[in-house]
Amino acid sequence: MSSYAFWNNKGGVGKSFLCFVAAAEYAHRHPDTDVYVIDLCPQANVSEILLGGYLNSPKVLDSLSSKKPRSTVAGYLEARLNSPFRMISDVSPYVCEPTEFNPQIPENLKLVCGDNLLEIISEAIRQTSQLSIPNDAWKQVLNWIRDLTVSLRISSGERDTVFLIDCNPSFAIYTQLGLVAAEGVVIPFTAEESSLHAIENVVALLYGITDLNTALYAKISFAKRAKEEGISVPKLYAFVLNRVTMYEGRTASASIAINKMIQKTMNDIHQKNRHIFANPKDLPSKSLIEIPASHTVAMVVATTGTPLHKLKPGLKKIGEERVQLNPQPLQRYREALEEFVNCL
């Protein structure tokens, strides 16, 4: 696969942070590949980190959204609203190179920046998809981000390309656009009971697989319409248990207990619906990737925009505060993320 959507119907699971780490590390390892990050979250969290971190990126975000046209994903979608059923000829105005603003980012990493305008124009996108003429309006609109990936592949020429699409937790139409553009879905979650329901919600929303109590609504679902209109939906590609609590170098017992419950839920879904998995022969619990909790590492990376491969232990200044980044947690975090990047 060469296009992945990072999504969970539950917020606060570290989805955007994981997308950033994966994109920066993959680009660092594969300098001959163009790595495109498409930020389809109105909060633009992954864009903030790529453009220099939470402390440095606000001015850059303002400058990109102030351009004519906006040099963001919302700028591209605005252009598509003006040309809904014919692809625009040039997508270069909507792509930026984060290394221009954050020299720590590899030069082969490109960004279609997030934008809070997404939320405002989402209703216009939805209404365009509901037009009665042409009769495939919904299908054409749902493919807008896929159209963008096709154009970016062409602009990369002979170079390989990989797309990492950061999606909002809500199942808004801009989230649907991102999911339709991906071949595989990466689902980050945390070791808490609500993650059980989040995984079930992903399966219900994306594939229409649900229980008897909500089966009636599945008949009018996104999944049903996508199947009827020939829109491909991505497969479940990877499950990442994020922010695992460690005690003396081992997973804490409470996390283990909830983790087992989540794995059972995943395996039960797999047993009855193997066709929705990218690797249908493998139990999802066998390929589950655990990322240890490391608040200090996450804080330093997010506030400074420093990729893991450039991060060194020691005393760090974050704003007016100084924090100590110890080598052991950093090494554990790197090893876990290497395992994840290896599967892309």
Side-chain angles (χ1 to χ4, degrees):
M1 291 186 175
S2 60
S3 54
Y4 307 89
F6 287 69
W7 183 54
N8 191 324
N9 191 228
K10 179 183 183 299
V13 295
K15 165 187 60 63
S16 298
F17 184 80
L18 185 65
C19 182
F20 164 79
V21 172
E25 299 314 302
Y26 192 97
H28 173 64
R29 290 192 194 182
H30 302 88
D32 295 328
T33 297
D34 284 341
V35 178
Y36 290 96
V37 174
I38 301 177
D39 189 352
L40 277 166
C41 190
Q43 285 74 39
N45 293 138
V46 70
S47 298
E48 288 180 325
I49 308 175
L50 283 166
L51 295 171
Y54 296 147
L55 297 179
N56 305 312
S57 61
K59 290 183 179 179
V60 180
L61 287 167
D62 286 344
S63 68
L64 293 175
S65 60
S66 298
K67 288 186 176 182
K68 303 293 182 183
R70 298 169 81 95
S71 186
T72 68
V73 71
Y76 165 73
L77 292 173
E78 278 190 301
R80 292 310 306 267
L81 283 169
N82 292 324
S83 177
F85 308 118
R86 184 176 181 180
M87 182 55 179
I88 57 179
S89 59
D90 182 15
V91 297
S92 61
Y94 313 106
V95 185
C96 72
E97 297 189 4
T99 189
E100 293 183 7
F101 312 100
N102 180 6
Q104 303 180 97
I105 300 299
E107 292 183 359
N108 57 317
L109 196 159
K110 321 291 183 181
L111 172 66
V112 182
C113 186
D115 192 331
N116 59 12
L117 186 66
L118 265 178
E119 201 71 75
I120 297 171
I121 66 174
S122 63
E123 180 58 20
I125 298 171
R126 190 194 67 80
Q127 289 186 17
T128 303
S129 74
Q130 299 302 315
L131 293 174
S132 56
I133 299 175
N135 58 12
D136 65 343
W138 189 75
K139 179 178 181 178
Q140 290 201 48
V141 170
L142 265 288
N143 277 308
W144 281 358
I145 295 298
R146 177 172 286 186
D147 294 342
L148 175 61
T149 65
V150 171
S151 292
L152 293 174
R153 287 186 200 278
I154 293 171
S155 69
S156 287
E158 298 298 318
R159 291 173 62 84
D160 288 337
T161 54
V162 168
F163 293 88
L164 304 181
I165 305 169
D166 191 31
C167 297
N168 188 264
S170 74
F171 202 53
I173 191 162
Y174 48 78
T175 299
Q176 296 173 20
L177 266 61
L179 290 166
V180 166
E183 297 166 287
V185 182
V186 175
I187 304 179
F189 56 93
T190 50
E192 51 190 343
E193 194 170 347
S194 59
S195 287
L196 290 171
H197 304 299
I199 292 171
E200 292 168 342
N201 286 348
V202 166
V203 173
L205 290 166
L206 199 49
Y207 308 108
I209 298 168
T210 184
D211 57 35
L212 292 175
N213 294 324
T214 55
L216 176 64
Y217 299 101
K219 295 179 181 179
I220 57 172
S221 68
F222 162 87
K224 182 175 185 294
R225 189 167 184 183
K227 185 176 182 180
E228 290 173 346
E229 301 207 20
I231 294 179
S232 62
V233 294
K235 304 288 187 180
L236 299 180
Y237 184 78
F239 295 87
V240 181
L241 181 57
N242 203 14
R243 301 173 183 163
V244 176
T245 303
M246 308 295 289
Y247 181 71
E248 295 183 349
R250 297 183 179 181
T251 305
S253 57
S255 293
I256 291 174
I258 297 177
N259 188 8
K260 287 182 177 179
M261 294 169 60
I262 292 171
Q263 289 186 45
K264 183 179 184 305
T265 297
M266 290 160 43
N267 288 344
D268 288 347
I269 293 170
H270 175 267
Q271 185 177 8
K272 298 176 182 178
N273 307 281
R274 295 189 180 192
H275 64 284
I276 67 175
F277 289 81
N279 301 301
K281 294 183 179 179
D282 302 329
L283 280 175
S285 60
K286 298 298 182 182
S287 56
L288 178 69
I289 299 169
E290 293 189 7
I291 309 295
S294 182
H295 176 70
T296 303
V297 173
M299 180 174 63
V300 173
V301 170
T303 53
T304 64
T306 305
L308 279 182
H309 64 269
K310 294 229 173 183
L311 199 59
K312 297 180 180 179
L315 195 62
K316 309 294 178 182
K317 187 176 181 181
I318 307 296
E320 300 300 320
E321 301 294 326
R322 293 183 179 273
V323 296
Q324 178 65 34
L325 184 57
N326 294 320
Q328 293 84 2
L330 177 59
Q331 184 58 30
R332 283 199 301 267
Y333 202 79
R334 277 193 175 129
E335 289 174 357
L337 264 299
E338 282 177 6
E339 181 184 0
F340 173 61
V341 176
N342 284 341
C343 81
L344 297 178

